[in-house]
Amino acid sequence: MTVAALHAVIKGTGSALPRNRVSNAELAAKVDTTDEWITERTGIKFRHIAEPDETTSSLAIEASRNALQAANMAAADIDLIILATATPDQTFPASATIVQHALGCNGGVAFDVAAVCSGFLYAFSVAESMIRAGSARNALVIGAETFSRILDWEDRTTCVLFGDGAGAVVLSGEVGTRGALATKLHADGQHNELLYVDGGPSTTGTVGKLRMKGREVFRHAVTNLTSVLHEVLAEAELTAADVDWVVPHQANARIIEATAKKLGLDPNKVVLTVDQHANTSAASVPLALDVAVRDGRIKAGDVIVIEAMGGGFTWGASVIRI
Ligand code: UT7
């Protein structure tokens, strides 16, 4: 007897943003920058910045509750939580266990994944592999960050680019044509000095601040994303014309446009939220996905591509039938 193959299907999406929404003009009152520079170079208009009572786990919990509600599922149904973050509440334990306890689904598997801006892609890939292997039934995959806590607010080349937030999806194993069709991940550790945090428990004993050589990262991002998108579409035996929506990592509108152009993807099929959220690292893809699902752009049956690239360098892409 042959056993029909399981696919990891997205059953619901959710997101959460800190209360405080900061415009470029508000930022320009404190940092040596202008709305014009930020808009032209990045497409960013607003970002949300966490208040002291808002943390990576509190945003992750809110996003998870919204995703569970959208999936019409209870926390008790969840047996796997993977939280992608570079800004956990504590060095340990994993913030995923804080989310698990708050949701009240203790007893399953819960851990964090550290792949910075590609974190959601890495977490998604692990969760969908575990579902296909039968070692999890229903997973919460979350990207949540409070990057405002690791920004150097004196460094205008980085502090204007990032924001805080969280996004989550509920994944379930199903037999059929829906679900993750192909996923590809990569890492190349030789570029640490282009994008990193200058502290850590084992080196300085401090949290550290984000440092980035933006122009070099930009160049690598377009090259790596174009290449992994070609790779993942080929693996799924699809072409750019088959894609209904691209949900890219929201670092810079110019990176997103350049990548879409290189692939021959219709720019009207690209979900863009960088103007509203700025770069929320691991949260950016699930946040953008939730926006496009809730406003009705992404519908059941659509073929979407999610992609991200960030510190490490790490990068990846996945093709999913919704
Ligand atoms: O999510 C992880 C991946 N991260 C990324 O993908 C980010 C990738 N990089 C980028 O998005 C872009 O490289 C940036 C937005 C960071 C920078 O844009 P750019 O067009 O590469 O500008 P640049 O770094 O070459 O800087 C151009 C000028 C410089 O002045 P000079 O040297 O030409 O006189 C900077 O000092 O812009 C200046 N500048 C600013 N001016 C006003 C840099 N930051 C600012 C600022 N406001 N905030």
Side-chain angles (χ1 to χ4, degrees):
M1 187 180 83
T2 54
V3 179
L6 277 177
H7 290 279
V9 173
I10 295 180
K11 307 293 278 185
T13 65
S15 60
L17 290 163
R19 297 184 293 276
N20 183 24
R21 184 177 189 244
V22 180
S23 70
N24 290 346
E26 286 170 273
L27 210 55
K30 297 184 202 139
V31 179
D32 179 19
T33 189
T34 59
D35 172 35
E36 195 185 13
W37 190 93
I38 302 171
T39 306
E40 262 179 26
R41 300 290 175 133
T42 70
I44 295 165
K45 286 294 208 180
F46 298 93
R47 76 283 295 137
H48 291 249
I49 303 291
E51 301 282 354
D53 66 322
E54 293 170 312
T55 61
T56 291
S57 71
S58 76
L59 295 167
I61 291 160
E62 189 184 334
S64 299
R65 289 199 171 116
N66 292 336
L68 282 167
Q69 195 174 34
N72 201 19
M73 282 167 68
D77 298 325
I78 299 296
D79 56 357
L80 170 66
I81 299 178
I82 310 183
L83 171 55
T85 190
T87 48
D89 288 21
Q90 297 160 283
T91 302
F92 81 80
S95 296
T97 61
I98 301 172
V99 175
Q100 185 199 42
H101 181 57
L103 295 178
C105 51
N106 298 356
V109 176
F111 60 95
D112 290 357
V113 158
V116 206
C117 297
S118 316
F120 183 78
L121 268 296
Y122 270 65
F124 182 86
S125 173
V126 175
E128 76 98 8
S129 302
M130 288 177 72
I131 285 173
R132 277 193 289 108
S135 49
R137 282 195 324 272
N138 301 308
L140 255 174
V141 185
I142 312 159
E145 303 276 17
T146 43
F147 255 49
S148 61
R149 307 260 159 81
I150 56 163
L151 294 176
D152 175 356
W153 289 96
E154 305 286 312
D155 176 10
R156 68 174 185 172
T157 69
T158 54
C159 73
V160 304
L161 304 173
F162 295 90
D164 302 331
V169 302
V170 175
L171 286 182
S172 295
E174 262 183 29
V175 176
T177 55
R178 295 174 67 200
L181 306 178
T183 301
K184 288 282 170 192
L185 300 177
H186 293 282
D188 180 357
Q190 69 179 304
H191 300 296
N192 187 302
E193 84 290 354
L194 297 183
L195 180 50
Y196 66 102
V197 167
D198 63 4
S202 172
T203 49
T204 58
T206 62
V207 171
K209 298 290 180 202
L210 181 149
R211 306 291 169 206
M212 177 167 73
K213 294 195 172 75
R215 204 178 301 183
E216 283 90 336
V217 176
F218 190 111
R219 218 165 24 82
H220 283 282
V222 175
T223 308
N224 291 342
L225 288 171
T226 305
S227 143
V228 75
L229 283 165
H230 275 304
E231 201 184 350
V232 82
L233 283 171
E235 170 93 9
E237 297 180 351
L238 296 173
T239 69
D242 299 312
V243 176
D244 294 300
W245 289 103
V246 184
V247 186
H249 173 47
Q250 308 284 324
N252 185 321
R254 286 159 53 215
I255 295 178
I256 295 171
E257 281 155 21
T259 309
K261 198 168 168 190
K262 273 182 180 275
L263 269 132
L265 285 161
D266 179 350
N268 296 316
K269 292 180 171 181
V270 179
V271 177
L272 208 67
T273 53
V274 69
D275 56 333
Q276 298 299 314
H277 304 153
N279 183 348
T280 58
S281 181
S284 97
V285 167
L287 249 171
L289 176 62
D290 188 49
V291 167
V293 166
R294 282 174 195 264
D295 70 19
R297 275 180 286 175
I298 295 179
K299 293 180 286 299
D302 281 354
V303 171
I304 71 160
V305 178
I306 59 174
E307 47 98 322
M309 137 96 193
F313 290 141
T314 54
W315 65 102
S318 184
V319 182
I320 306 157
R321 192 183 301 279
I322 295 295

